[in-house]
Amino acid sequence: MINLLKKRLTIASSLLCVAFTFLFVDGSAMGGNQTKLAAVNLRTEYKHNPIGLGMANPRLSWEMQDSERGSMQQAYQIRCAATAAELKNKADLLWNTDWVESDQSNQLAYAGQKLASGERVYWQVRIRNNRGKESAWSEPVFFELGLLSHADWKAQWIEPKLDEDVSKSTPSPYLRRTFQAPKPISKATAFVTCHGLYELSMNGSKVSDDLFTPGWTSYQERLQYQAYDVTGLLAKGENAIGVVLGDGWYRGFLVWQGNKNTYGENVALLFQLQIEYADGTSEMICSDENWKAGTGPILKSDIYNGETYDARLEQTGWNTAGFDDREWNGVETKDYGYDNLVASDGVPVQVIQRIQPIEKIITPKGELVFDFGQNLVGWVHFKLKGNKGDKVVLNHAEVLDQEGNFYTANLRVAKAEDEYIFKGDGVESYAPRFTFHGFRYVKISDYPGEVTVDDLEACVVHSAMTETGDFVCSDTLVNRLQKNIQWGLRGNFLDVPTDCPQRDERLGWTGDAQVFAPTACFNVDAASFYTKWMQDFPVDQKENGSVPWVVPNVVKDGGGTGWSDGFGATAWADASVIIPWTVYRAYGDTGILERQYASMKGWEEYMIRESGDNYVFSAGFHFGDWLAFAEYYSYYYNAPDYGYAGANTDKELIATAYFYHTTGLMQKTAEILGKKEDAARYAAILPKIKEAFNREFVTETGRLTSGTQTAYVLALCFKLLPENLVPVVAKRLADDVNHFGHLTTGFVGTPLLCQALSDYGYPDVAYKLLFNKRYPSWLYPVTKGATTIWERWDCIKPDGSFQDVGMNSFNHYAYGAVGNWLYQTVAGLQEDPAVAGYKKFVVKPVPTEQLQFAKANYQSIYGEIRSGWERKEDAFVQTVEVPANTSAKIYLLANDATSVSENGKPISNRKDIAIAGRDGDYLVVEVGSGTYSFQIQNSN
Ligand code: RAM
């Protein structure tokens, strides 16, 4: 609960920051808040007061707060103790670093006394700044370890003894037991996991707001358990534990061919409650043969198909002590072992927000439909009255069709239907729990009464990552695009990064995740989320290093496509290297590189082996530039090139470009980790791949064998070309965009398209693409009322009809990868290529005449960074906020230093601003922490 509160506070404070940004750009709150030197926002492994950590030396981080300009941390002191009181009294410290002269404030590994399973550690830190000033000790926080060894597990796996037909969805099992606590309890921790999904309650109350536990991983080798502090739910005397199990990913419908029981046919529970009594004794209550099993109101519950709930079958008090369970069945103990059990590294899924319908609609077909105004993921919670046996059926849809009728064809076989049967007991309140739907509209049928907008709310469900960034500019359509990117993220970060949340798919598609990861890392703190997901890569990787299309890999043998065995597709498999690298760059996290290294290297070595002596990566099946602009060109545009074959980029060209890019990242990774031999090996291979790329795919005059935007973009952004051809290829790219008047790229080219144009001299062409409202473009869906990013450029075609129902998701984040460019280039907030984690960063906006202002804020691991620019009547204003303990290189759109003032004063001869010189159109200055407002006359 405390955790939850803290999280809410973090979200609230990030909202406050957004509000502050507005003031800031107006200039009315210049100078920032006056804050005292302090260490704040203490986190362990990215989390506030986590329990159940899976490592003995977790990493500690804090933010330095100091409103003095140019403030750096000079030294820190950490101390740790087993209780808050000991910490306060400085007694029996587990770790005391004394003053350490260092500016490190991020991911410092605990190095105190050895810790045991379940141990809690309170810690605090104080810091000294570069002016010799010391902060007070921070507020104490804590972390608690989970079960570090499999030998810590005493509980037995149990399965309910129920007669089930597992070829279809069956009633959810309910499990319970009671126990006596003979003495007052000082602390109680529950460790729990299951085959399937579980909802755990004690004495009638749910233990947490977490949903879809134990989460989705490659269960055969990695099954997460959760740890909950349940002290407050238990008391001396008789206590009851209740667990409902759902089918979930384990045995529900999964993948796309009516496939079921992917991991096993039976759901099962593993539960261990560790109780410490006030008198110092302890006891364990475990899942064992003493549990009882029954069924209840949940008749079926399936991720794709929805939930059927018959309230008449509720067994009141089933999870409390007084309940009579003599009619219930027993359970069977099973020997599934503990080898695959791992602590939870990810972020719990929760209900994050609630949305009221904006409209009640009767469609032309007479359907009763409610519109929530936003395509979202989660479910509808309703409060309705009915007689015993009455029912209400809820169906979910992303869009209405051209006639305004409810449209579900694009969900394919996912029923996405919740059905509730009333018990006839006044107002009944219901929301499902083991299913989720992707929808904007809900259709209500079979209900005898009236339904109003006040009876319903949509619960938005996703991994509870802290929102860390926002981008805003003077164009409302672009702002809606940014919102759509953020909603695409919310909808597809439900424990694993999915391609889509609505149809019978919802899988961890690696390529989609890879292209979107940099954008995700601006918008949310995605470090833990990816940390958890990436660990399933080595589990599902082949022995030869090849990486599956989806992780966890449930698409066996290429999903029956007949194209491939479902492994080794370029740009998809490269997620194994690119995502750990992205997390390292965004958060300065070398831990993820270490942990993933074997997996990263596996994929790299696979490519090296498969490409052989000519270094062209052509082996295996590749998706290529998936869903690139193709067939409808002539039809929609009365095109000059009638008969255009489509923007088909040679798959071997793409694969070889990615081979080069990934090898470059591997070389850097090996260097960072001190793996010198590997670094040298990859450094030696790089020029060979580059040579091969140019030999095979580039002519001497700078033509590419595929004359597509994607081919040009990859050649430029992955730096594959000889110097003399760079401007030639950049011009070809710009010419191609100008020729078509729009983009032609798919999943592979789109994320880097604007970047390539703006980096290589054609920012105006990049902006032309951004502002284009005609198909195909980013704003075309916005003009069609999209509230999320679409899978295809024309999910709704210009004539209003829909794309092929076989693959037409209205909530697919891949094309939203342009969000990275909005932050980095439009607002100018960039990483420093030489330093990870924004310890140093670059502010280099590329403004356009079409915008009056643009600004981005980003809660980095060091604190809030902001970058914005605005055209004012008398000046061009660039505003930058640099958190304490970081520094920034700022590119000002100024001819020279005399045309710039900062906060009303010239910028020459100042201690707080160093003029570094000119770079192209920019005057470059270097600054330390602080809030800066640069007024530029005669800007470039
Ligand atoms: C479809 C989806 C997914 C994509 C794969 C190749 O299933 O569009 O996003 O990655 O194809």
Side-chain angles (χ1 to χ4, degrees):
M1 194 61 204
I2 292 176
N3 267 338
L4 192 71
L5 246 171
K6 287 247 163 156
K7 199 174 302 137
R8 295 274 141 81
L9 282 175
T10 323
I11 293 170
S13 61
S14 75
L15 288 175
L16 277 178
C17 290
V18 175
F20 179 66
T21 314
F22 281 97
L23 290 172
F24 176 65
V25 167
D26 288 338
S28 48
M30 223 114 67
N33 293 325
Q34 290 305 309
T35 48
K36 263 194 14 209
L37 175 65
V40 297
N41 194 15
L42 276 61
R43 287 145 294 157
T44 309
E45 292 293 332
Y46 297 102
K47 296 175 182 174
H48 293 110
N49 299 327
I51 76 167
L53 290 179
M55 67 292 283
N57 300 91
R59 297 166 302 170
L60 316 180
S61 306
W62 59 90
E63 270 171 40
M64 178 182 183
Q65 185 183 281
D66 194 357
S67 57
E68 296 263 329
R69 280 192 174 178
S71 184
M72 292 293 284
Q73 178 183 295
Q74 188 81 33
Y76 67 83
Q77 182 180 6
I78 297 171
R79 63 187 186 202
C80 302
T83 64
E86 282 170 0
L87 194 63
K88 202 168 170 202
N89 302 333
K90 296 178 244 86
D92 290 325
L93 293 179
L94 295 167
W95 192 31
N96 182 357
T97 63
D98 289 326
W99 280 109
V100 179
E101 300 295 312
S102 163
D103 66 352
Q104 187 178 355
S105 59
N106 182 37
Q107 295 167 24
L108 232 135
Y110 170 84
Q113 280 177 37
K114 196 164 186 283
L115 303 175
S117 287
E119 212 169 323
R120 181 176 285 202
V121 174
Y122 288 83
W123 68 279
Q124 59 185 169
V125 59
R126 63 175 174 172
I127 54 180
R128 189 184 335 117
N129 70 11
N130 50 344
R131 296 181 177 88
K133 199 159 142 196
E134 279 176 25
S135 75
W137 281 100
S138 72
E139 286 300 313
V141 294
F142 67 83
F143 64 84
E144 190 175 294
L145 302 190
L147 303 180
L148 298 185
S149 153
H150 294 146
D152 294 324
W153 284 96
K154 307 294 174 216
Q156 286 175 282
W157 278 100
I158 54 173
E159 283 179 1
K161 279 189 190 158
L162 296 170
D163 195 14
E164 295 179 316
D165 174 0
V166 295
S167 65
K168 45 187 193 217
S169 297
T170 58
S172 286
Y174 283 59
L175 299 171
R176 63 172 260 118
R177 79 157 279 175
T178 56
F179 68 94
Q180 276 290 334
K183 301 173 273 194
I185 295 171
S186 62
K187 189 175 177 217
T189 312
F191 298 94
V192 57
T193 186
C194 74
H195 291 165
L197 301 174
Y198 72 83
E199 185 184 279
L200 169 65
S201 51
M202 291 192 182
N203 294 327
S205 303
K206 279 202 278 183
V207 300
S208 90
D209 294 329
D210 298 354
L211 301 163
F212 297 96
T213 45
W216 189 15
T217 46
S218 299
Y219 294 136
Q220 66 281 15
E221 275 190 46
R222 284 182 13 90
L223 172 61
Q224 298 188 125
Y225 68 85
Q226 282 76 40
Y228 293 109
D229 184 342
V230 293
T231 317
L233 296 178
L234 301 176
K236 181 172 175 244
E238 182 88 346
N239 290 283
I241 306 159
V243 179
V244 193
L245 295 176
D247 293 351
W249 298 281
Y250 191 88
R251 73 163 181 185
F253 286 92
L254 201 58
V255 201
W256 51 71
Q257 299 135 322
N259 170 64
K260 200 180 171 292
N261 301 323
T262 306
Y263 296 93
E265 292 192 341
N266 300 319
V267 289
L269 174 72
L270 185 71
F271 173 88
Q272 183 161 313
L273 175 64
Q274 300 189 182
I275 302 175
E276 289 167 28
Y277 291 111
D279 65 1
T281 58
S282 62
E283 188 181 6
M284 242 187 229
I285 305 295
C286 292
S287 47
D288 57 20
E289 68 284 354
N290 296 320
W291 287 57
K292 298 300 273 300
T295 54
I298 304 175
L299 297 182
K300 5 183 203 179
S301 200
D302 182 78
I303 289 178
Y304 292 167
N305 295 323
E307 187 160 300
T308 302
Y309 188 98
D310 186 342
R312 294 170 304 182
L313 301 175
E314 284 173 358
Q315 303 200 37
T316 310
W318 73 275
N319 49 5
T320 59
F323 182 76
D324 180 358
D325 60 15
R326 278 174 300 179
E327 297 287 296
W328 282 37
N329 296 358
V331 298
E332 201 176 329
T333 59
K334 289 281 176 181
D335 187 17
Y336 294 131
Y338 313 114
D339 286 353
N340 61 345
L341 299 182
V342 293
S344 302
D345 288 321
V347 187
V349 176
Q350 293 175 341
V351 172
I352 306 293
Q353 49 174 306
R354 291 162 196 274
I355 295 180
Q356 290 291 125
I358 56 167
E359 200 187 349
K360 177 174 174 175
I361 303 166
I362 303 295
T363 69
K365 278 191 184 162
E367 303 148 314
L368 171 61
V369 170
F370 289 84
D371 175 6
F372 288 95
Q374 173 61 53
N375 193 11
L376 59 92
V377 172
W379 49 63
V380 173
H381 168 220
F382 66 73
K383 287 185 181 163
L384 291 170
K385 264 184 179 174
N387 293 321
K388 191 171 183 178
D390 284 351
K391 68 176 178 178
V392 57
V393 176
L394 286 78
N395 289 89
H396 303 78
E398 294 185 290
V399 287
L400 302 180
D401 69 14
Q402 254 176 308
E403 284 76 45
N405 291 315
F406 197 69
Y407 179 83
T408 56
N410 70 319
L411 308 188
R412 303 195 306 217
V413 304
K415 255 174 110 182
E417 179 175 283
D418 295 332
E419 180 178 335
Y420 181 88
I421 299 154
F422 288 84
K423 58 188 167 193
D425 184 15
V427 175
E428 297 177 36
S429 165
Y430 167 78
R433 71 212 65 197
F434 298 135
T435 186
F436 62 89
H437 311 297
F439 66 102
R440 169 174 170 167
Y441 301 93
V442 67
K443 180 178 87 178
I444 302 222
S445 58
D446 289 18
Y447 178 63
E450 263 286 304
V451 187
T452 73
V453 289
D454 298 326
D455 300 323
L456 312 176
E457 63 178 5
C459 300
V460 179
V461 173
H462 57 88
S463 293
M465 301 166 295
T466 306
E467 299 195 352
T468 49
D470 207 0
F471 167 87
V472 185
C473 68
S474 55
D475 186 284
T476 45
L477 294 184
V478 174
N479 289 342
R480 184 64 233 189
L481 170 67
Q482 161 69 5
K483 291 275 158 276
N484 292 1
I485 292 168
Q486 291 171 324
W487 275 103
L489 190 162
R490 292 183 189 112
N492 285 294
F493 276 60
L494 199 148
D495 207 48
V496 300
T498 56
D499 60 327
C500 60
Q502 72 297 78
R503 67 184 180 214
D504 55 332
E505 189 152 356
R506 317 184 195 188
L507 303 177
W509 279 98
T510 47
D512 310 40
Q514 177 265 110
V515 297
F516 191 67
T519 304
C521 290
F522 268 123
N523 286 291
V524 296
D525 176 356
S528 301
F529 180 86
Y530 286 131
T531 296
K532 174 235 166 206
W533 186 56
M534 290 314 299
Q535 291 174 69
D536 289 319
F537 276 64
V539 175
D540 287 337
Q541 226 162 329
K542 276 191 187 172
E543 227 157 78
N544 68 7
S546 193
V547 176
W549 295 347
V550 300
V551 174
N553 186 16
V554 287
V555 175
K556 299 297 172 210
D557 302 323
T561 52
W563 309 326
S564 154
D565 61 354
F567 282 80
T570 193
W572 271 250
D574 295 271
S576 57
V577 174
I578 294 173
I579 295 180
W581 180 257
T582 305
V583 171
Y584 160 71
R585 291 291 308 157
Y587 307 100
D589 188 337
T590 50
I592 194 165
L593 297 180
E594 271 160 31
R595 206 173 311 110
Q596 297 300 134
Y597 191 73
S599 153
M600 297 164 79
K601 187 172 170 178
W603 171 241
E604 171 65 23
E605 294 293 333
Y606 171 85
M607 287 192 290
I608 294 172
R609 260 193 327 275
E610 292 295 322
S611 62
D613 289 344
N614 74 353
Y615 294 95
V616 172
F617 182 34
S618 56
F621 165 85
H622 301 290
F623 291 107
D625 194 21
W626 188 245
L627 301 185
F629 173 75
E631 50 231 278
Y632 296 97
Y633 181 72
S634 3
Y635 173 72
Y636 289 138
Y637 270 102
N638 190 16
D641 300 9
Y642 186 80
Y644 173 71
N648 296 317
T649 308
D650 180 350
K651 291 179 180 176
E652 296 186 11
L653 181 155
I654 297 175
T656 306
Y658 257 92
F659 179 23
Y660 182 74
H661 179 58
T662 290
T663 306
L665 300 184
M666 284 307 298
Q667 188 228 328
K668 289 185 195 152
T669 304
E671 258 165 30
I672 290 163
L673 299 181
K675 298 179 188 294
K676 293 210 174 86
E677 257 176 49
D678 286 357
R681 171 169 159 74
Y682 300 138
I685 288 172
L686 278 168
K688 294 182 183 163
I689 310 173
K690 192 174 189 168
E691 193 274 318
F693 184 86
N694 283 279
R695 184 186 68 228
E696 300 277 336
F697 307 114
V698 188
T699 68
E700 273 176 16
T701 54
R703 283 181 197 278
L704 299 194
T705 50
S706 295
T708 60
Q709 293 172 16
T710 292
Y712 301 134
V713 162
L714 295 182
L716 290 166
C717 289
F718 291 171
K719 302 199 166 32
L720 279 151
L721 299 165
E723 273 306 300
N724 65 317
L725 293 186
V726 170
V728 181
V729 172
K731 181 164 184 310
R732 284 191 188 283
L733 171 61
D735 287 349
D736 191 84
V737 173
N738 286 328
H739 167 75
F740 283 104
H742 61 75
L743 52 76
T744 64
T745 49
F747 277 29
V748 171
T750 303
L752 298 169
L753 178 57
C754 287
Q755 198 68 56
L757 287 163
S758 55
D759 282 358
Y760 291 95
Y762 299 92
D764 47 331
V765 182
Y767 276 113
K768 186 169 160 181
L769 290 177
L770 177 67
F771 291 117
N772 184 16
K773 294 187 206 51
R774 296 182 68 184
Y775 162 79
S777 68
W778 286 284
L779 292 188
Y780 165 73
V782 174
T783 65
K784 288 279 179 186
T787 58
T788 37
I789 301 294
W790 294 349
E791 178 172 23
R792 297 171 179 269
W793 294 119
D794 59 349
C795 282
I796 299 175
K797 298 183 201 169
D799 67 7
S801 64
F802 291 124
Q803 256 285 5
D804 181 359
V805 293
M807 231 181 60
N808 204 28
S809 153
F810 291 88
N811 198 353
H812 231 76
Y813 54 49
Y815 289 147
V818 69
N820 192 43
W821 181 75
L822 297 178
Y823 280 91
Q824 287 200 330
T825 305
V826 182
L829 202 163
Q830 300 174 14
E831 297 172 354
D832 182 318
V835 184
Y838 296 88
K839 182 87 172 76
K840 282 187 176 169
F841 58 92
V842 173
V843 172
K844 189 180 181 185
V846 180
T848 167
E849 289 296 330
Q850 285 141 291
L851 291 177
Q852 195 58 30
F853 72 88
K855 58 189 174 175
N857 60 289
Y858 171 60
Q859 175 69 26
S860 76
I861 42 169
Y862 293 98
E864 184 82 354
I865 298 177
R866 282 183 271 156
S867 165
W869 54 265
E870 184 173 13
R871 297 172 196 290
K872 296 244 172 128
E873 238 168 62
D874 51 344
F876 182 81
V877 180
Q878 278 183 250
T879 49
V880 180
E881 181 156 335
V882 182
N885 206 20
T886 71
S887 58
K889 196 189 250 191
I890 304 174
Y891 287 69
L892 299 170
L893 263 298
N895 292 326
D896 52 33
T898 55
S899 54
V900 189
S901 64
E902 192 280 321
N903 225 353
K905 293 182 215 111
I907 60 164
S908 307
N909 301 321
R910 281 175 57 162
K911 278 197 195 126
D912 52 351
I913 300 170
I915 299 171
R918 291 205 60 79
D919 184 351
D921 285 345
Y922 298 90
L923 177 73
V924 186
V925 298
E926 286 175 350
V927 299
S929 68
T931 301
Y932 300 84
S933 174
F934 298 95
Q935 319 276 318
I936 304 166
Q937 311 298 328
N938 318 316
S939 78
N940 290 314

